[in-house]
Amino acid sequence: MSRKGFYPEEVLFSPTTDCNLSCGHCGISGGGRVLSAEHADRFLLGCRKVGVKRVGFTGGEPFLALDFLCALTKRAVKEGFLFDRIMTNAVWWHGENELKSAFIRLFNAGYDGSICVSVDAFHRQNIKKVARFIELAACIWRRPDIVSIAYTSGAKDRETKTKLNALNALVKRDNNGIFIRTFKVEIAPVGRASKFKD
């Protein structure tokens, strides 16, 4: 049987509109709504029937819906899906014990994809917290490449470069040789991003 037309191979779940940051270029409306894990589970099973192979998570801040992340991760593992990435700001946690506990829960649920952190001049993150997030993720998953960085380009490039250099200097690579891939995302002249001059 041949298939014609467009068939997606990946589905991204946005489990919550809640976020601990309020970035000028973000189009998420906020409000703290949470996607039902039961609805997402049924949708995921339907996706499998049409050939979707990979699952990813975005937001809001997906780690603020940790129960959802873990439940859907377990279901995806059971159904044989592959994982792409979780998009995060990496600074949603209040203490290192909270971060470590969340990572262990997600690891034990079977998540083996990557974690992509948005870092640029628009995200008002504590860069030391981002560095610790990267170090602990590499330690829990025992993968030096578990975390990648996505940054915007097209406005505030100088500030973004300074922030990325500071992060690179802070991440301790002694024990696990952490390797961080970076991805540049151009700001589109639409939506909320249109207010930026360049």
Side-chain angles (χ1 to χ4, degrees):
M1 176 171 124
S2 66
R3 292 175 13 149
K4 294 183 180 180
F6 173 75
Y7 288 89
E9 293 186 1
E10 179 177 6
V11 62
L12 293 173
F13 286 94
S14 186
T16 182
T17 59
D18 200 11
C19 188
N20 56 304
L21 298 179
S22 180
C23 303
H25 66 305
C26 181
I28 301 295
S29 60
R33 294 182 306 263
V34 178
L35 179 61
S36 157
E38 293 79 23
H39 284 88
D41 190 63
R42 285 194 299 273
F43 184 78
L44 185 65
L45 294 177
C47 288
R48 191 183 84 200
K49 291 177 183 175
V50 296
V52 171
K53 299 172 184 162
R54 289 185 313 275
V55 176
F57 301 96
T58 187
E61 173 50 60
F63 278 98
L64 295 179
L66 185 60
D67 290 339
F68 178 98
L69 278 180
C70 292
L72 210 62
T73 292
K74 286 178 183 177
R75 173 56 98 170
V77 168
K78 181 179 178 185
E79 298 298 327
F81 283 92
L82 301 172
F83 292 105
D84 185 22
R85 66 185 57 167
I86 299 172
M87 290 296 301
T88 179
N89 63 46
V91 294
W92 49 267
W93 49 283
H94 296 96
E96 192 164 316
N97 287 339
E98 179 184 12
L99 177 61
K100 186 175 183 179
S101 174
F103 280 167
I104 290 170
R105 279 187 63 196
L106 192 57
F107 177 83
N108 289 338
Y111 186 79
D112 63 358
S114 67
I115 301 172
C116 188
V117 181
S118 296
V119 176
D120 52 45
F122 303 105
H123 291 82
R124 292 180 180 91
Q125 298 131 306
N126 176 329
I127 209 71
K128 289 181 181 178
K129 282 183 81 171
V130 176
R132 188 62 189 136
F133 180 98
I134 293 168
E135 294 163 355
L136 197 53
C139 180
I140 297 293
W141 272 271
R142 295 184 184 100
R143 279 182 48 199
D145 66 339
I146 184 79
V147 176
S148 59
I149 301 292
Y151 66 95
T152 58
S153 177
K156 299 190 178 187
D157 284 343
R158 186 176 304 134
E159 295 96 324
T160 294
K161 185 176 181 180
T162 299
K163 195 170 185 181
L164 292 171
N165 288 339
L167 176 61
N168 189 46
L170 283 169
V171 174
K172 296 179 182 123
R173 293 172 165 84
D174 300 340
N175 297 330
N176 45 22
I178 295 172
F179 174 77
I180 304 170
R181 293 167 297 184
T182 58
F183 302 95
K184 178 171 69 172
V185 180
E186 298 288 334
I187 291 182
V190 295
R192 293 177 67 190
S194 65
K195 67 183 176 187
F196 300 124
K197 291 180 181 173
D198 62 344

